[in-house]
């Protein structure tokens, strides 16, 4: 199906033509017609499959074709888990609406609060933002959502993982009326928290689930290498990055400190690299992303801050220097490559401390991975010998308990709440409410 087969406003059609999208992706084929009918949606489809337009097209069409419920309140609110993703979605929203008299604004943490309050006083039609800062403006009565017509949650599961449930509930209550249409999108949507949230927020939603991620992502070649520790991982990393020429790559690590350490190491090997983590100032974060997007930096070393949603055209490979704690994050990390039908490559370095995570990922993807080796860089670690079938089902994608003591001990580490991970995304955990993302 093509976009021109849809009953869209000419101005929206023109904007889509300018973006050079003609044929709908599978998730768009299902979500857009249902979204246009005004239905609530709960949609999951793999990374890079075009979910942004799947919610923006019906949203913009509704704003263009229906009379506003309120002259002052925003008509559509789109929430994302990180500032970077919010800005990216804002960019697409702007491209779709700039020539049709719809004003958009982006409201994220780390940016000037008063400027945002001022922007909100101009009564934008579409607000894209992160839950913590939107919550602050709601509480400060800079923002009212009584007239909200569309509430959209991108990467909804991640927002819950980051502790934004209260903020989301508050936002939901501030816009709780019969005419609101709500859409939730992610590549992963299986957690118990999500079903609680969907019951609260969605009215008889249409459930869309395209090519379950559990079957893997056929456009991404995934390789795994055993590693013995930090120094060995460093060598393996350089090898992976130099393989097949100097392509742009994204490297994920477990901690902020590691991102910096690894960049130093790569620079010693004449590899142009930069690091990104949640403790950088917002303008630094933006500059790093900008340089990488424009190809000025070859390798971006980052934490899970960049695992969700980012759509950067040239990322040829993703390397997991450490495996993520949760299997779902593995899916999102590797999903930064192989987007929109392109081929991508992913490599993961697996040492003893990554083993429990590997088992969880194998369970989640229902696939047992083979390991590769580089000549001269063989590891003495060969795994802890536990076949994934021996561990219990990992329904939520989180590492699960097994009978094997060694793995069980590691699991404790991997499932424990880790405030540094939340801080990583710029969110400082506080008892009452998350302040920022
Ligand atoms: P997701 O949110 O599912 O991870 P995105 O919405 O970020 O994916 O889209 C991934 C990429 O695919 C973007 O670069 C986007 O411009 C492109 N894209 C989206 N829809 C289409 C389409 N119908 N045809 C071609 N490319 C598309
Ligand atoms: Mg997305």
């Amino acid at each position: 199906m093509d976009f021109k087969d849809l009953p869209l406003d000419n101005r929206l059609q023109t904007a889509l033509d300018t973006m050079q999208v003609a044929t709908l992706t599978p998730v768009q084929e299902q979500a857009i017609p249902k979204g246009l009918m005004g239905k609530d949606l709960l949609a999951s489809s793999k990374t890079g499959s075009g979910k942004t337009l799947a919610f923006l097209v019906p949203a913009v069409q509704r704003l263009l074709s229906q009379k506003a419920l309120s002259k002052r309140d925003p008509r559509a609110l789109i929430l994302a888990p990180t500032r970077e993703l919010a800005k990216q979605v804002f960019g697409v929203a702007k491209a779709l609406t700039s020539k049709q008299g719809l004003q958009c604004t982006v409201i994220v943490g780390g940016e000037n609060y008063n400027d945002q309050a001022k922007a909100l006083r101009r009564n934008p039609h579409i607000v894209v933002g992160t839950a913590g800062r939107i919550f602050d403006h709601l509480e400060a009565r800079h923002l009212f959502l009584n007239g909200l017509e569309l509430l959209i949650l991108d990467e909804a599961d991640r927002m819950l993982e980051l502790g934004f449930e209260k903020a989301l509930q508050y936002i939901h209550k501030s816009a709780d009326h019969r005419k609101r249409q709500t859409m939730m999108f992610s590549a992963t949507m299986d957690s118990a928290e999500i079903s609680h949230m969907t019951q609260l927020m969605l009215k008889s939603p249409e459930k869309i689930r395209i090519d379950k991620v559990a079957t893997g992502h056929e456009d991404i070649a995934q390789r795994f290498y055993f590693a013995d520790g930090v120094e060995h991982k460093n060598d393996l990393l350089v090898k992976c990055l130099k393989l097949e020429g100097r392509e742009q790559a994204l490297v994920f690590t477990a901690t902020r400190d590691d991102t910096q350490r690894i960049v130093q190491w790569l620079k010693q090997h004449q590899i142009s690299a930069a690091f990104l983590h949640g403790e950088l100032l917002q303008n630094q974060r933006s500059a790093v992303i900008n340089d990488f997007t424009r190809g000025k930096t070859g390798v971006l070393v980052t934490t899970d801050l960049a695992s969700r949603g980012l759509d950067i055209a040239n990322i040829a490979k993703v390397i997991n220097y450490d495996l993520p704690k949760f299997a779902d994050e593995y899916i999102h990390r590797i999903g930064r490559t192989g987007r929109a039908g392109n081929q991508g490559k992913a490599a993961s370095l697996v040492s003893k401390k990554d083993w429990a995570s590997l088992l969880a990922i194998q369970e989640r993807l229902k696939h047992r991975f083979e390991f590769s080796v580089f000549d001269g860089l063989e590891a003495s670690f060969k795994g802890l010998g536990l076949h994934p079938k021996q561990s219990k089902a990992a329904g939520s994608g989180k590492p699960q308990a097994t009978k094997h003591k060694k793995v069980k001990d590691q699991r404790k580490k991997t499932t424990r709440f880790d405030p540094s991970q939340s801080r990583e995304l710029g969110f400082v955990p506080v008892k009452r409410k998350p302040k920022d993302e």
Side-chain angles (χ1 to χ4, degrees):
M1 188 197 275
D2 286 355
F3 282 96
K4 62 173 167 41
D5 301 325
L6 293 164
L8 298 180
D9 186 284
N10 283 340
R11 292 166 290 176
L12 176 55
Q13 190 64 65
T14 310
L16 288 164
D17 291 344
T18 317
M19 290 169 79
Q20 294 183 318
V21 289
T23 309
L24 279 74
T25 65
V27 66
Q28 292 166 353
E29 274 202 19
Q30 298 223 11
I32 294 178
K34 287 176 181 148
L36 289 173
M37 280 155 47
K39 304 233 185 239
D40 279 8
L41 300 181
L42 176 63
S44 68
S45 70
K46 66 185 179 187
T47 53
S49 60
K51 291 187 285 296
T52 318
L53 287 180
F55 58 74
L56 280 179
V57 168
V60 173
Q61 174 63 25
R62 177 165 173 171
L63 300 195
L64 289 173
S65 60
Q66 294 189 13
K67 199 164 169 287
L69 287 181
S70 149
K71 283 210 173 73
R72 301 182 54 187
D73 300 347
R75 302 184 65 187
L77 173 64
I78 304 165
L79 298 169
T82 64
R83 300 166 188 179
E84 282 74 14
L85 180 55
K87 288 182 174 192
Q88 180 181 293
V89 171
F90 169 69
V92 184
K94 230 171 37 177
L96 286 182
T97 56
S98 60
K99 297 209 175 76
Q100 31 230 306
L102 291 171
Q103 264 78 50
C104 304
T105 194
V106 63
I107 303 284
V108 296
E111 296 195 344
N112 191 293
Y113 183 77
N114 293 329
D115 288 350
Q116 292 175 347
K118 220 184 279 170
L120 290 171
R121 277 202 293 278
R122 279 182 232 120
N123 304 327
H125 302 99
I126 301 176
V127 175
V128 187
T130 44
R133 188 55 73 89
I134 294 285
F135 177 91
D136 291 342
H137 285 292
L138 264 177
E139 244 197 355
R141 302 173 68 80
H142 297 148
L143 174 66
F144 295 89
L145 297 177
N146 306 313
L148 193 76
E149 291 160 62
L150 289 135
L151 176 61
I152 297 168
L153 283 75
D154 195 12
E155 308 281 351
D157 53 332
R158 185 65 176 160
M159 287 194 269
L160 295 180
E161 276 169 28
L162 291 173
F164 287 113
E165 185 170 354
K166 289 261 149 57
L168 294 177
Q169 284 182 0
Y170 190 89
I171 291 166
H172 160 72
K173 287 213 186 86
S174 311
D176 196 11
H177 60 79
R178 213 165 36 84
K179 291 190 175 153
R180 190 188 88 197
Q181 182 180 5
T182 310
M183 309 187 204
M184 290 195 194
F185 280 75
S186 182
T188 48
M189 280 284 199
D190 291 330
S191 70
E193 293 81 16
I194 270 284
S195 46
H196 173 244
M197 208 60 173
T198 53
Q199 276 170 22
L200 179 76
M201 288 196 174
L202 301 176
K203 290 186 288 282
S204 355
E206 291 284 339
K207 294 187 179 142
I208 295 167
R209 192 172 181 143
I210 312 285
D211 44 42
K212 278 190 182 176
V213 272
T215 55
H217 197 311
E218 66 280 6
D219 293 331
I220 306 170
Q222 301 172 63
R223 284 176 178 272
F224 291 79
Y225 299 91
F226 283 120
D228 286 330
V230 171
E231 282 169 20
H232 191 209
K233 280 192 173 182
N234 287 348
D235 292 336
L236 285 166
L237 175 63
V238 170
K239 187 83 182 172
C240 286
L241 289 172
K242 288 193 169 168
L243 210 65
E244 299 136 354
R246 297 285 172 99
E247 301 163 311
Q248 264 203 313
L250 198 53
V251 176
F252 285 99
T253 67
T255 68
R256 288 191 292 268
D257 290 346
D258 275 352
T259 61
Q260 252 155 296
R261 179 178 63 74
I262 289 167
V263 165
Q264 291 306 325
W265 169 254
L266 294 179
K267 285 185 173 160
Q268 286 170 32
H269 288 79
Q270 287 72 49
I271 295 173
S272 95
F275 59 87
L276 176 75
H277 60 63
E279 269 198 356
L280 297 181
L281 295 173
Q282 188 53 42
N283 59 358
Q284 293 173 314
R285 268 163 81 159
S286 305
V288 168
I289 286 273
N290 249 336
D291 283 353
F292 187 63
T293 310
R294 284 186 288 127
K296 273 174 76 181
T297 317
V299 178
L300 183 63
V301 186
T302 182
T303 59
D304 276 321
L305 174 65
S307 70
R308 293 274 181 152
L310 295 189
D311 184 55
I312 299 173
N314 300 323
I315 300 176
K317 51 187 147 186
V318 168
I319 298 173
N320 291 305
Y321 184 90
D322 303 297
L323 282 181
K325 291 191 171 79
F326 301 127
D328 280 354
E329 287 323 295
Y330 174 82
I331 295 167
H332 288 281
R333 283 180 178 189
I334 67 167
R336 294 319 98 216
T337 178
R339 299 180 71 73
N342 293 318
Q343 298 296 306
K345 284 167 281 191
S348 298
L349 312 182
V350 182
S351 70
K352 210 167 171 181
K353 78 177 180 51
D354 299 296
W355 191 249
S357 302
L358 177 81
L359 294 185
I361 292 164
Q362 295 197 132
E363 290 245 3
R364 178 76 171 82
L365 298 182
K366 303 278 179 281
H367 188 79
R368 198 176 173 199
F369 295 108
E370 298 295 321
F371 276 75
S372 310
V373 263
F374 289 121
D375 283 347
L377 282 176
E378 296 84 358
S380 33
F381 176 64
K382 293 275 183 278
L384 296 175
L386 190 70
H387 191 280
K389 275 189 187 137
Q390 284 175 258
S391 58
K392 288 182 191 164
S396 66
K398 297 182 170 99
Q400 295 291 306
T402 73
K403 283 178 198 142
H404 195 288
K405 188 172 176 311
K406 213 163 188 177
V407 175
K408 198 171 174 182
D409 290 343
Q410 288 194 352
R411 190 188 70 90
K412 273 191 195 146
K413 276 190 227 147
T414 58
T415 53
R416 195 183 55 203
F417 173 67
D418 175 5
S420 69
Q421 203 195 358
S422 304
R423 267 204 304 278
E424 193 41 54
L425 289 112
F427 148 55
V428 181
V430 273
K431 285 226 171 66
R432 206 166 57 83
K433 63 174 171 107
K435 283 300 281 180
D436 193 5
E437 50 301 317

